[in-house]
Amino acid sequence: MPAYIVRRLVSGLIMVIVMSLVTFLLFFASPIDPARVSCGKNCSPALQKQVSKSLGFDKPVIEQWGDFLKGVVAGREFPADPAMRAADPKGVVHCSAPCLGYSKLQNATVGSLISNSFPISLSLAIVAFIFWIVGGVVLGVTAALTKGSLLDRGIVGTALVFFAFPTFWIGLFFYTFIAIKWQIVPIPVYTSIADGGVFTWLNGLLLPSLTLALFYMAGYVRMTRAFVLESMGEDYLRTAKSKGLAPRKVLIKHSMRAALTPLVTMAGLDLAGLMGGAIITESVFNYNGLGKLAVNATQQLDLPLTVGIVLVLATFVILANIIVDVLYAFIDPRVRVG
Amino acid sequence: MAKTQTTASVSRGAPTDEATVLSVQDLKVHFPTSDGVVKAVDGLDYTLQRGKTLGIVGESGSGKSVSSAAILALHDPKRTRISGEIWLNGTDLLTVSEEQMRRRRGREVAMIFQDPLSAMHPYYTVGNQIMEAYQVHNHVSKKQARSRAIEMLDRVGIPQPDRRVDDFPHQFSGGMRQRAMIAMGLINDPGLLIADEPTTALDVTVQAQILDLLQDLQREFNSAIMIITHDLGVVAEMADDVLVMYAGRAVEYGPTKEILTHPEMPYTWGLLSSVPDVKGDTSARLLPIPGNPPSLLNPPSGCAFHPRCTHRSKVPGDLCRTETPLLIEGNRGPGHTKRCHLANPEQIYETEILPVIAPDLVEES
């Protein structure tokens, strides 16, 4: 098992490195000069050349990529050109390892920008995750147990509605009506636990995470229902029943145990994907999370920031994959890793 | 030996015989569907005594598994209509509540299934699943249940049972899994064990071992066994009585030796003709039964077997098509009943069937 984990981590690392190269190459394939973007409004060819040099854009792509990887491991200093650093020692920005680059547009290191947004996205993802898993499983099992009844149809139908409604619509509805018009909850503003305590933190996250959760919950309701119904047709459930077990034990120990196992895989990957995937929700509620940061960076053609975010998010997905695979070996005894 | 039975569907109440474990009377299992009612079992009578084995034979879809699942009330009551009487140890199971039925499952009647891999939960150890079967009916500690499970695994011939008890089903071979299923079924010493095609999914060599084991255990526990199969070899090996089912009804019923040597119903002839004999001479032919089992939604009129029967021309008039034959005694005396209009089945069997399927037997005599 440890050998397996090490092997997966190494292959994950290789994947992240390949990801960074692909992102680099994609950006340089575009016709826009990143130096022109970072140069500002009153840009002259000379100034643009200077910016290009200070950010290292004048070097070949592969060399830039090498510098980037070196920065991740050992840290970097900006401007990239040693002569420019010597000319203006005060303007030198030190970016300590793991350095993901420097955004000239924001005048900040990519690392600091990401670490500002990260807790917001993480909080949102985790609270939404709890909502959708609890809601999805409880409603899904209820629907499966009352299959064909009015309750079942109601749950499945409502889930379909939430699945079909665009997130921005639900988000805006929550924001305008529940928060502003009816004032059921305060207008959601992100407050970190350190600043306002758990209650304020949770209060601010309520509406956005619910918005996010409803979409996923809808999918999980339907999947849970399908998995539970599927497990009920299995031969081993008939065995459990023929032993004389109580219906509740048949359901919880035998049916649910089998039905919820595949959900673990999906939930792990969805959670990781959500880290940078809550763009719409973050925009509606004006949360400065990673998704919003990524969209802004791409729109402004902020190459270093984009590459940095892509890399961080890719690492999350890859890590989640490894965790889910290792976890699966524990929950399904038939799976042998290694 | 089999009890003679009335063919009319009149309730006879609880069996008075002490030795009778199971008595099924006019059992009907119908599934209403949007296309109509599927009569999977349509009037079935049989009795089974302590220490005896009843073999139920028939093609897929003849209702043999459905009727046995009804004994354990495993059908979804919302989608099934069951009528008749199922007397198990003096109680009509069709009259007891779901909770009372649950307490009987596994304790008075246990079941082992065709495919032991899918019949065991993949996420729990074999020991866990066997212990569970014991603990649900006995208030014992986990430790006691475990040692009982190990004891049972040892009894059914699992090597190193104290270690293998913690294995998962996928770590067992097919034969060992079926042994473990038998251990699970017999752990509460039920009076009746229903084996639903227990050897179908196994290797031939393992099949013989499992059948031997079942016979051994039957002698030890003196339980009644109901074995459902389409393999007449299994019946010949195991069963005291045999009941041949076709389209949800018994078409021939009697002591195994009698039925296998003097079958009187063309469907039974068909089953016998379909069995290859490794020792038999190569001139013997395998004759499959023509056609397919009938739809139980819309069974043929008269004798359900008539569209596939090659002997129907020997019955005068159109009787096979118009009138359902009763399950009655033929010329072989009490204990052997059949559902057929043929007047002289014995003669037809000896002159037309036997020479084809077992020429050597005819030459000898």
Coordinates of all heavy atoms in Angstrom, one line a residue, chain B residues 227-259:
Chain B
I227 N -34.9 -29.5 -3.2 CA -33.9 -29.1 -4.1 C -34.5 -28.8 -5.4 O -35.3 -29.6 -6.0 CB -32.8 -30.2 -4.2 CG1 -31.6 -29.7 -4.9 CG2 -33.3 -31.5 -4.8 CD1 -30.3 -30.5 -4.5
I228 N -34.2 -27.6 -5.9 CA -34.8 -27.1 -7.1 C -33.7 -27.2 -8.2 O -32.6 -26.7 -8.0 CB -35.2 -25.6 -7.0 CG1 -36.4 -25.6 -5.9 CG2 -35.7 -25.1 -8.3 CD1 -36.5 -24.2 -5.4
T229 N -34.0 -27.8 -9.3 CA -32.9 -28.0 -10.3 C -33.6 -28.3 -11.6 O -34.8 -28.5 -11.8 CB -32.1 -29.3 -9.8 OG1 -31.1 -29.5 -10.8 CG2 -32.9 -30.5 -9.7
H230 N -32.7 -28.2 -12.7 CA -33.2 -28.7 -14.0 C -32.3 -29.9 -14.4 O -32.4 -30.4 -15.5 CB -33.1 -27.6 -15.0 CG -31.8 -27.0 -15.1 ND1 -31.5 -25.7 -14.7 CD2 -30.6 -27.4 -15.6 CE1 -30.2 -25.4 -14.9 NE2 -29.7 -26.5 -15.4
D231 N -31.5 -30.3 -13.4 CA -30.6 -31.4 -13.7 C -31.2 -32.7 -13.1 O -31.2 -32.9 -11.9 CB -29.3 -31.1 -13.0 CG -28.2 -32.1 -13.4 OD1 -28.5 -33.2 -13.8 OD2 -27.0 -31.7 -13.2
L232 N -31.6 -33.6 -14.0 CA -32.2 -34.9 -13.5 C -31.2 -35.7 -12.8 O -31.5 -36.6 -12.0 CB -32.8 -35.6 -14.7 CG -34.1 -35.0 -15.1 CD1 -34.6 -35.7 -16.4 CD2 -35.2 -35.2 -14.1
G233 N -29.9 -35.5 -13.1 CA -28.8 -36.3 -12.4 C -28.8 -35.9 -10.9 O -28.7 -36.8 -10.1
V234 N -29.0 -34.6 -10.6 CA -29.1 -34.2 -9.2 C -30.2 -34.8 -8.5 O -30.1 -35.3 -7.4 CB -29.2 -32.6 -9.2 CG1 -29.4 -32.2 -7.7 CG2 -27.9 -32.0 -9.7
V235 N -31.4 -34.9 -9.2 CA -32.6 -35.4 -8.6 C -32.4 -36.9 -8.3 O -32.7 -37.4 -7.3 CB -33.8 -35.3 -9.6 CG1 -34.9 -36.1 -9.2 CG2 -34.2 -33.8 -9.6
A236 N -31.8 -37.6 -9.3 CA -31.6 -39.1 -9.1 C -30.7 -39.3 -7.9 O -30.8 -40.3 -7.2 CB -30.9 -39.6 -10.4
E237 N -29.7 -38.4 -7.8 CA -28.7 -38.6 -6.7 C -29.3 -38.3 -5.3 O -29.0 -38.9 -4.3 CB -27.5 -37.6 -7.0 CG -26.6 -37.4 -5.8 CD -25.4 -38.2 -5.8 OE1 -25.3 -39.1 -6.7 OE2 -24.5 -38.0 -5.0
M238 N -30.2 -37.2 -5.3 CA -30.5 -36.6 -4.0 C -32.0 -36.9 -3.5 O -32.2 -37.1 -2.3 CB -30.4 -35.1 -4.1 CG -29.1 -34.5 -4.3 SD -28.1 -34.5 -2.8 CE -29.1 -33.3 -1.8
A239 N -32.9 -36.9 -4.5 CA -34.3 -36.8 -4.1 C -35.0 -38.1 -3.7 O -34.7 -39.1 -4.4 CB -35.1 -36.0 -5.1
D240 N -35.8 -38.1 -2.7 CA -36.7 -39.2 -2.5 C -37.9 -39.1 -3.3 O -38.4 -40.1 -3.9 CB -37.1 -39.2 -1.0 CG -35.9 -39.3 -0.1 OD1 -35.3 -40.4 -0.1 OD2 -35.6 -38.3 0.6
D241 N -38.5 -37.9 -3.5 CA -39.6 -37.6 -4.3 C -39.2 -36.6 -5.4 O -38.3 -35.8 -5.1 CB -40.8 -37.1 -3.5 CG -41.4 -38.1 -2.5 OD1 -41.1 -39.3 -2.8 OD2 -42.0 -37.7 -1.6
V242 N -39.9 -36.7 -6.5 CA -39.7 -35.7 -7.5 C -41.0 -35.1 -8.0 O -42.0 -35.8 -8.1 CB -38.8 -36.2 -8.6 CG1 -39.5 -37.4 -9.3 CG2 -38.5 -35.1 -9.6
L243 N -41.0 -33.8 -8.2 CA -42.1 -33.1 -8.8 C -41.7 -32.4 -10.0 O -40.8 -31.6 -10.0 CB -42.7 -32.1 -7.7 CG -43.9 -31.3 -8.0 CD1 -44.9 -31.5 -6.9 CD2 -43.6 -29.9 -8.2
V244 N -42.3 -32.7 -11.1 CA -42.0 -32.1 -12.4 C -42.9 -31.0 -12.6 O -44.1 -31.2 -12.6 CB -42.0 -33.1 -13.6 CG1 -41.6 -32.5 -14.9 CG2 -41.2 -34.3 -13.2
M245 N -42.4 -29.8 -12.9 CA -43.2 -28.6 -13.1 C -43.2 -28.2 -14.5 O -42.2 -28.2 -15.2 CB -42.8 -27.5 -12.2 CG -43.3 -27.5 -10.8 SD -42.9 -26.0 -9.9 CE -44.3 -24.9 -10.4
Y246 N -44.3 -27.7 -15.0 CA -44.4 -27.1 -16.3 C -45.4 -26.0 -16.3 O -46.6 -26.2 -15.8 CB -44.8 -28.2 -17.4 CG -44.6 -27.6 -18.8 CD1 -43.4 -27.5 -19.3 CD2 -45.8 -27.2 -19.5 CE1 -43.2 -27.0 -20.6 CE2 -45.6 -26.7 -20.7 CZ -44.4 -26.6 -21.3 OH -44.2 -26.0 -22.5
A247 N -45.1 -24.8 -16.7 CA -46.0 -23.7 -16.8 C -46.7 -23.4 -15.5 O -47.9 -23.2 -15.5 CB -46.9 -23.9 -17.9
G248 N -46.0 -23.5 -14.4 CA -46.6 -23.2 -13.1 C -47.4 -24.3 -12.4 O -48.0 -24.0 -11.4
R249 N -47.4 -25.5 -13.0 CA -48.2 -26.6 -12.4 C -47.3 -27.8 -12.3 O -46.4 -28.0 -13.1 CB -49.4 -26.8 -13.3 CG -50.4 -25.8 -13.2 CD -51.7 -26.4 -13.8 NE -52.8 -25.5 -13.5 CZ -53.6 -25.0 -14.5 NH1 -53.4 -25.5 -15.7 NH2 -54.6 -24.2 -14.2
A250 N -47.7 -28.7 -11.4 CA -47.1 -30.0 -11.4 C -47.6 -30.8 -12.5 O -48.8 -30.9 -12.7 CB -47.4 -30.7 -10.0
V251 N -46.8 -31.5 -13.3 CA -47.3 -32.3 -14.4 C -47.0 -33.8 -14.0 O -47.6 -34.7 -14.6 CB -46.7 -32.0 -15.7 CG1 -47.2 -30.6 -16.2 CG2 -45.2 -32.0 -15.7
E252 N -46.1 -34.1 -13.1 CA -45.9 -35.4 -12.7 C -45.2 -35.4 -11.3 O -44.4 -34.6 -11.0 CB -44.9 -36.2 -13.7 CG -45.0 -37.7 -13.5 CD -44.6 -38.5 -14.7 OE1 -44.1 -37.9 -15.7 OE2 -44.8 -39.7 -14.7
Y253 N -45.7 -36.3 -10.4 CA -45.2 -36.2 -9.1 C -45.2 -37.6 -8.5 O -46.2 -38.4 -8.7 CB -46.2 -35.3 -8.3 CG -45.9 -35.2 -6.8 CD1 -44.6 -35.2 -6.3 CD2 -46.9 -35.0 -5.9 CE1 -44.3 -35.0 -5.0 CE2 -46.6 -34.8 -4.5 CZ -45.3 -34.8 -4.1 OH -45.1 -34.6 -2.7
G254 N -44.1 -38.0 -7.8 CA -44.1 -39.3 -7.3 C -42.7 -39.6 -6.7 O -41.8 -38.8 -6.8
P255 N -42.5 -40.9 -6.3 CA -41.2 -41.3 -5.8 C -40.1 -41.2 -6.9 O -40.5 -41.6 -8.1 CB -41.4 -42.7 -5.3 CG -42.8 -42.8 -5.1 CD -43.5 -41.9 -6.1
T256 N -38.9 -40.8 -6.6 CA -37.9 -40.5 -7.6 C -37.7 -41.7 -8.5 O -37.7 -41.6 -9.7 CB -36.6 -40.1 -7.0 OG1 -36.9 -39.0 -6.2 CG2 -35.6 -39.7 -8.0
K257 N -37.5 -42.9 -7.9 CA -37.2 -44.1 -8.6 C -38.3 -44.4 -9.6 O -38.0 -44.7 -10.8 CB -36.9 -45.2 -7.7 CG -36.0 -46.3 -8.3 CD -35.7 -47.4 -7.3 CE -35.1 -48.5 -8.1 NZ -35.3 -49.8 -7.5
E258 N -39.5 -44.3 -9.1 CA -40.7 -44.6 -9.9 C -40.7 -43.6 -11.1 O -40.9 -44.0 -12.3 CB -41.9 -44.5 -9.0 CG -43.2 -44.3 -9.7 CD -43.7 -45.7 -10.4 OE1 -43.1 -46.7 -10.0 OE2 -44.5 -45.6 -11.3
I259 N -40.6 -42.3 -10.9 CA -40.7 -41.3 -11.9 C -39.6 -41.5 -13.0 O -39.8 -41.4 -14.2 CB -40.7 -39.9 -11.3 CG1 -41.8 -39.7 -10.4 CG2 -40.7 -38.9 -12.4 CD1 -43.1 -39.4 -11.0

